[in-house]
Every structure is written in C-alpha cells, then in structure tokens.
C-alpha cells in the first residue's frame, strides 16, 4: 500500500515551516504542498480494504500479509477499529520491520493480537565462533499508542 506523498522536500526551511503548521493544524487533515494529507491516504486505503474484505468473504486464503508504511497501517487500524481522528493522532508509527498482527476471532471479526519487533541478534553458538547474526521476532506491547 503506497505511503503518504509528503510533497517536494527540497527546501529545508519550507519543510520546517510545514511541519510546524502540520503540528498546529493536526496531522490527519494537513496536506503538504504538492502532497497528501492522511485523509487522502485514508480514502486510498479504504478502497483497498473494500477489495480485501471481499477476498475475506470469498475465503480465498487463510492468512494474508500486508506490507505497508507507518501511516498506512495506522489508517488501516483506524478504519477497521473505527478510531476517532483524535485516537489516530495518538498512534505511533511502527518501527522499520515491525509486525502488526491481527487475528480472527472466529466470529467474523479481526482483533489486534500484538505488535512484534524484528530484532537483530546473535545465536549463542554463533557468538562464540563469530558467526552470522540471525533475526528473531520479539513480542512487544499490543498497542501502537505513543
């Protein structure tokens, strides 16, 4: 899912001004010059979700993996769980390579099962031999709120 278009980021002074305006105005509705607001992304993600729900209804697959950027996952969660704009504004973007896991409740609804951080670590055997690092998922808080 395509991330928010933040416009032309060539002028550092203009960028700082835009970020101050965005903070005062609110992150959901503020549209960057020649870019998008989170509201614009909400419309785009909504269209995608409508087709995803149809796929769920047709039971095309047991599991789905969505690869998104931070604002897209925040909007997806906001739309699905019907968060208010104020609630949306309290959500923190996941870190790079974080996983947000939604599970099925068996009654036709999804539930937020947690957030997992991908951590670079060395296996004990590899540490002694100077071996390669491995990735493992480390369970974090089940909330995206700052």
């Amino acid at each position: 899912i395509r991330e928010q278009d933040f416009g032309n980021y060539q002028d550092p002074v203009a960028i700082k001004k835009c970020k101050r305006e965005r903070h005062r105005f609110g992150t959901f509705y503020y549209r960057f010059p020649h870019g998008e607001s989170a509201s614009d992304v909400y419309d785009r993600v909504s269209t995608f979700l409508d087709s995803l729900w149809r796929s769920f209804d047709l039971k095309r697959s047991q599991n789905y993996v969505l690869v998104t950027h931070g604002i897209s996952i925040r909007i997806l969660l906001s739309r699905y769980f019907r968060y208010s704009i104020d609630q949306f504004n309290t959500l923190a973007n996941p870190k790079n390579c974080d996983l947000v896991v939604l599970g099925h409740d068996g009654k036709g609804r999804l539930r937020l099962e947690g957030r997992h951080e991908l951590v670079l670590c060395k296996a004990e055997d590899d540490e002694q031999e100077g071996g390669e690092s491995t990735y493992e998922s480390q369970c974090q808080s089940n909330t995206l709120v700052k």
Side-chain angles (χ1 to χ4, degrees), residues 2-109:
R2 186 168 50 89
E3 176 62 302
Q4 180 179 4
D5 181 351
F6 290 98
N8 188 344
Y9 259 55
Q10 300 301 314
D11 180 2
V13 174
I15 294 167
K16 284 183 181 182
K17 180 182 176 205
C18 288
K19 287 186 176 181
R20 283 191 305 271
E21 287 175 359
R22 180 183 186 212
H23 181 72
R24 283 192 307 272
F25 189 80
T27 59
F28 190 78
Y29 289 112
Y30 181 80
R31 182 174 288 118
F32 288 90
H34 310 290
E36 295 179 300
S37 67
S39 176
D40 296 324
V41 179
Y42 185 96
D43 293 341
R44 187 170 58 250
V45 168
S46 293
T47 301
F48 166 76
L49 288 177
D50 289 342
S51 66
L52 184 63
W53 303 152
R54 284 191 297 277
S55 180
F56 288 172
D57 289 342
L58 296 174
K59 297 183 184 358
R60 290 188 177 155
S61 182
Q62 291 284 337
N63 299 299
Y64 292 80
V65 176
L66 307 179
V67 179
T68 74
H69 290 277
I71 198 160
S72 297
I73 191 65
R74 289 168 47 209
I75 287 173
L76 185 148
L77 293 171
S78 294
R79 184 174 184 267
Y80 185 78
F81 293 112
R82 298 185 176 148
Y83 296 158
S84 69
I85 292 169
D86 288 336
Q87 289 170 312
F88 168 84
N89 286 330
T90 65
L91 295 176
N93 276 341
K95 295 177 185 172
N96 286 339
C97 299
D98 272 4
L99 306 172
V100 176
V101 180
L102 299 174
H104 197 274
D105 70 359
K107 301 174 188 169
R109 299 287 299 165

